Amino acid sequence: MKILVTGGTGYIGSHTCVELINNGYEVVIVDNLNNSSIDVIDKIQQITGIKPVFYQVDILEKDGLEKVFEENQLNAVIHFAGYKAVGESVAIPLTYYENNISGSINLYQLMKKHHVNNLVFSSSATVYGDDFDVPFKEEYGLGTTTNPYGTTKKMNEMIITDMCKADSDLSCVLLRYFNPIGAHESGLIGEIPNGIPNNLVPYIAQVVSGQREYLNVWGNDYNTPDGTGVRDYIHVVDLARAHVKAIEYALNHKGTEVINIGTGKGYSVMEVLKAYEKACGKEIPYRIMNRRPGDIAVCYADTEKAERLLGFKAEYDIDRMCEDSYRFTRMLDK
């Protein structure tokens, strides 16, 4: 069984490739290396003993992407490739719409042309916007997104849903996942963002390693227990396991399913900071800043559907997430 993973050398993609290989799937990776490194291919091989097939192709380059379909008999696609920073998307929306929508349409058109009928799409809790009460439930549908990144995820969900309505052979699982953190227990793969990190834990890691003076905490006046934003953080390995479960589901069902992937528990910025301090054994300096545009106060998942349809439940807690993240940071510093 051969799976195409777009964005497969990225943070979530690389961990998913490891879990796919460990579960007996053949993996073909497409990535433009815009926010990742070719070294990840060797690290996947170190962890699994198997080197995945790799193409350095941008999904906006349709001819190059078609070559991947022509040279491989694919059974399914997991689609990660896309820009993903909320704040950046507010600043450069056209870049996000071009890459995340036009590139995805290229992929979907080639899937149709080459009769690849199974898709798992990397969606996001941002599609709920700020319209609903927590925990977010799949039955709420799509909300009013608060930033262009979230809107590109919402638009992709709409496109995929329409595709499935038009073609009864398609099976598409839309995974709305929350905030992945942590790293593989080997310390070989984890999150290495380009430039200034847009997400909390990579920024904390850079403070701990001395690359930055202090953590910026974006707002402490939200309606939350300590005033800082609350998110549903999930270990990236748990999230990767969920993608394997989603592939298994897609191969045995038709139509579209939307499924939350989280822990069902929210942690504040300060709670994550304290857990990371526990992992690294020292205090981490921080400063309170103004809120970021596009951020919401509280976001966590209702996970009942993932348990019922996929048999998936997250295993790792916030302490384990921070421990594995810190191990990866130490490995980078060696």
Side-chain angles (χ1 to χ4, degrees):
M1 194 70 69
K2 189 174 287 190
I3 314 298
L4 173 63
V5 182
T6 72
T9 58
Y11 175 46
I12 304 169
S14 60
H15 287 82
T16 300
C17 289
V18 166
E19 294 303 311
L20 286 168
I21 292 169
N22 285 342
N23 280 274
Y25 292 97
E26 293 182 69
V27 170
V28 178
I29 294 175
V30 162
D31 204 301
N32 65 2
L33 303 180
N34 175 265
N35 195 33
S36 60
S37 169
I38 189 65
D39 296 345
V40 170
I41 300 298
D42 290 334
K43 291 175 180 177
I44 291 172
Q45 183 179 17
Q46 281 182 257
I47 294 168
T48 66
I50 295 173
K51 188 170 187 175
V53 176
F54 174 71
Y55 292 82
Q56 186 173 347
V57 172
D58 193 307
I59 58 172
L60 286 170
E61 300 167 4
K62 195 170 184 180
D63 289 344
L65 191 57
E66 177 145 41
K67 182 181 178 185
V68 178
F69 281 82
E70 290 172 346
E71 294 181 356
N72 297 275
Q73 190 65 43
L74 299 170
N75 300 101
V77 174
I78 302 180
H79 180 28
F80 292 109
Y83 296 144
K84 63 177 186 175
V86 168
E88 183 182 65
S89 77
V90 174
I92 51 170
L94 287 179
T95 301
Y96 271 68
Y97 287 119
E98 178 186 31
N99 187 76
N100 293 10
I101 302 301
S102 299
S104 295
I105 289 172
N106 284 344
L107 176 67
Y108 306 149
Q109 287 174 335
L110 289 172
M111 287 179 63
K112 182 174 179 63
K113 180 177 178 179
H114 292 272
H115 308 291
V116 181
N117 293 323
N118 303 295
L119 172 67
V120 174
F121 175 64
S122 161
S123 192
S124 166
T126 58
V127 303
Y128 290 112
D130 205 8
D131 297 338
F132 308 111
D133 294 330
V134 291
F136 290 148
K137 304 175 186 290
E138 295 89 347
E139 65 199 50
Y140 289 162
L142 297 166
T144 304
T145 47
T146 59
N147 54 77
Y149 162 72
T151 304
T152 66
K153 292 297 187 184
K154 177 179 176 178
M155 292 172 70
N156 262 289
E157 285 203 17
M158 295 168 69
I159 292 165
I160 292 167
T161 300
D162 286 342
M163 284 164 40
C164 284
K165 287 178 181 175
D167 187 347
S168 60
D169 288 331
L170 287 179
S171 177
C172 301
V173 181
L174 313 179
L175 296 184
R176 291 179 182 167
Y177 42 82
F178 284 64
N179 293 71
I181 61 175
H184 193 269
E185 64 182 359
S186 66
L188 289 172
I189 55 175
E191 188 169 14
I192 312 176
N194 286 337
I196 300 172
N198 289 286
N199 296 322
L200 175 61
V201 171
Y203 205 110
I204 292 175
Q206 290 193 2
V207 175
V208 170
S209 65
Q211 294 173 260
R212 307 200 179 274
E213 277 188 71
Y214 52 83
L215 170 69
N216 293 318
V217 176
W218 302 103
N220 69 341
D221 57 350
Y222 287 106
N223 184 24
T224 62
D226 62 23
T228 63
V230 170
R231 298 291 181 269
D232 187 337
Y233 294 94
I234 181 170
H235 198 295
V236 67
V237 173
D238 275 333
L239 182 57
R241 290 193 304 106
H243 286 80
V244 177
K245 295 281 191 180
I247 281 290
E248 292 169 358
Y249 185 89
L251 292 170
N252 290 285
H253 298 82
K254 298 298 181 187
T256 308
E257 284 291 351
V258 176
I259 303 174
N260 288 336
I261 303 296
T263 64
K265 176 177 173 57
Y267 296 95
S268 73
V269 172
M270 296 309 297
E271 286 177 313
V272 176
L273 183 67
K274 295 303 179 187
Y276 211 105
E277 287 180 336
K278 180 181 174 183
C280 70
K282 60 182 180 181
E283 287 191 12
I284 299 169
Y286 67 91
R287 291 186 184 176
I288 304 298
M289 312 295 285
N290 292 329
R291 296 183 185 187
R292 289 186 302 191
D295 278 349
I296 61 176
V298 180
C299 176
Y300 62 93
D302 183 301
T303 59
E304 183 275 334
K305 190 173 183 180
E307 294 182 40
R308 174 167 47 85
L309 290 190
L310 303 184
F312 170 78
K313 186 174 176 63
E315 295 180 4
Y316 298 134
D317 63 14
I318 193 67
D319 288 334
R320 174 64 184 269
M321 298 179 212
C322 290
E323 288 165 11
D324 287 344
S325 172
Y326 181 53
R327 182 184 303 109
F328 176 68
T329 299
R330 293 203 316 272
M331 294 280 282
L332 286 179
D333 291 339
K334 288 182 180 178

